């Protein structure tokens, strides 16, 4: 069976939510999303790093170089106050969409 793809517009929200727990490097973000979704959601590098760059430019995350637990240099991303606010807006919009889809699907 083919893996479900992320819905358009949800990657930024998932990244921001993942960073509410702690600062992480890109690989850690992808692994966290995969683990928390019980291996249903997979974020590919080709999607993840452009999204992180977009979030940096928006001011929703900040990044700094640190050493990983495997002694490698990596950029660690941290959620900013603006990112926390944006996450709230995106979650609200997503919940409205899910509710609307649910209403359409439940119609006989």
């Amino acid at each position: 069976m083919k893996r479900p793809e992320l819905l358009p517009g949800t990657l930024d929200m998932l990244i921001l939510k993942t960073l509410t727990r702690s600062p992480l490097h890109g690989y850690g973000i992808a692994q966290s999303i995969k683990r928390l979704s019980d291996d249903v959601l997979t974020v590919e590098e080709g999607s993840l790093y452009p999204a992180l760059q977009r979030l940096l430019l928006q001011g929703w995350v900040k990044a700094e170089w640190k050493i990983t637990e495997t002694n490698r240099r990596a950029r660690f991303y941290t959620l900013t106050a603006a990112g926390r606010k944006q996450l709230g807006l995106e979650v609200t919009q997503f919940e409205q969409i899910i509710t609307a889809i649910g209403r359409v699907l439940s119609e006989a």
Side-chain angles (χ1 to χ4, degrees):
M1 185 171 129
K2 186 181 170 204
R3 262 181 206 260
E5 292 183 23
L6 285 177
L7 295 172
T10 58
L11 180 56
D12 290 1
M13 179 180 62
L14 293 173
I15 292 170
L16 293 172
K17 179 60 181 175
T18 300
L19 292 175
T20 62
R21 295 172 188 90
S22 67
L24 288 169
H25 49 74
Y27 180 76
I29 293 168
Q31 290 303 107
S32 181
I33 291 170
K34 184 176 180 180
R35 181 178 47 79
L36 290 169
S37 71
D38 290 329
D39 293 335
V40 173
L41 304 176
T42 301
V43 182
E44 303 294 334
E45 280 186 36
S47 301
L48 177 65
Y49 290 101
L52 286 167
Q53 189 60 33
R54 191 172 53 250
L55 296 177
L56 276 168
L57 291 173
Q58 293 288 339
W60 298 337
V61 300
K62 61 182 181 178
E64 65 178 311
W65 290 99
K66 293 184 180 179
I67 302 298
T68 66
E69 55 281 351
T70 57
N71 215 23
R72 293 185 178 191
R73 200 166 167 260
R75 278 180 103 176
F76 278 73
Y77 298 88
T78 305
L79 188 63
T80 64
R84 199 170 293 280
K85 182 177 180 184
Q86 181 63 26
L87 174 60
L89 293 172
E90 291 193 21
V91 168
T92 298
Q93 291 172 348
F94 183 75
E95 288 172 344
Q96 288 172 344
I97 290 168
I98 294 300
T99 300
I101 291 171
R103 283 194 299 263
V104 171
L105 292 176
S106 67
E107 278 299 308

